[in-house]
Amino acid sequence: LTKFYQNEGYKNMTIAHDTFYRLKNGNVMIDIEIDEGNRHYFRDIKWKGNLLYKDEYLNTVLGISKGDVYNPELLQNRLKFSLDGRDISSLYLDDGYLAFEVNPVEVAVENDSIDIEMRIFEGPQFTIDNIVTQGNDRTNENAVRREIRTRPGQKFSRSDLIRSQREI
């Protein structure tokens, strides 16, 4: 219940009182008193530590604008491992930045507005050194290797790795 309200922008929602009791007909009644608080909205989103991509491009990929309802779950999905591959982590992981990290920090909460600072650690670019296949006793090794999209010497790419797994 708390997560639902928070994803609807009610960041400070609390359950003020709850109780349950049995009715004469045997049913159970649950009473919950909720204090929603104010609905919150994103205000300024700033990027810190990004050297590879410009702020404007990261904002476009993030897809959250000033005035949008504050939704921490949506923010996390747009930062890390969105099912549609449209997230900030994918940009970096598909370009070899395997140690990439992004941490959103609320730097200001004023009235109903929240400022977020995205703290990025890009880290070094990784390349693939060796590809090892194990446990295969039914399919010719060449047939398996033919479906692998990643090759030694290439930059690490999460999407290529996922595609290789899918094709195998």
Side-chain angles (χ1 to χ4, degrees), residues 74-89:
L74 175 66
L75 179 62
Q76 282 302 317
N77 286 342
R78 297 282 175 85
L79 290 176
K80 301 177 182 179
F81 306 114
S82 174
L83 293 176
D84 63 2
R86 188 184 141 203
D87 57 77
I88 301 298
S89 291

Side-chain angles (χ1 to χ4, degrees), residues 34-151:
I34 296 173
D35 180 11
E36 294 176 341
N38 293 331
R39 193 171 209 185
H40 288 81
Y41 302 89
F42 287 103
R43 188 169 58 187
D44 293 326
I45 298 176
K46 298 194 190 267
W47 301 88
K48 184 177 180 182
N50 54 309
L51 301 174
L52 190 60
Y53 298 105
K54 294 185 180 205
D55 295 1
E56 296 79 22
Y57 182 65
L58 293 174
N59 282 330
T60 301
V61 172
L62 185 64
I64 296 174
S65 303
K66 183 176 187 171
D68 288 353
V69 172
Y70 180 74
N71 183 335
E73 185 175 309
L74 175 66
L75 179 62
Q76 282 302 317
N77 286 342
R78 297 282 175 85
L79 290 176
K80 301 177 182 179
F81 306 114
S82 174
L83 293 176
D84 63 2
R86 188 184 141 203
D87 57 77
I88 301 298
S89 291
S90 291
L91 288 176
Y92 286 90
L93 290 172
D94 286 346
D95 199 25
Y97 292 90
L98 189 57
F100 168 79
E101 254 187 67
V102 58
N103 296 307
V105 177
E106 294 178 10
V107 291
V109 179
E110 295 178 14
N111 299 324
D112 66 348
S113 299
I114 299 174
D115 293 342
I116 306 284
E117 183 176 87
M118 303 296 186
R119 297 180 182 168
I120 291 179
F121 171 74
E122 292 176 344
Q125 242 179 344
F126 286 75
T127 56
I128 297 170
D129 182 39
N130 193 12
I131 298 173
V132 178
T133 58
Q134 292 180 323
N136 175 29
D137 59 356
R138 297 177 191 229
T139 306
N140 187 334
E141 175 93 13
N142 291 335
V144 172
R145 289 206 175 262
R146 193 172 46 236
E147 299 303 323
I148 297 175
R149 300 285 177 209
T150 55
R151 304 273 184 251

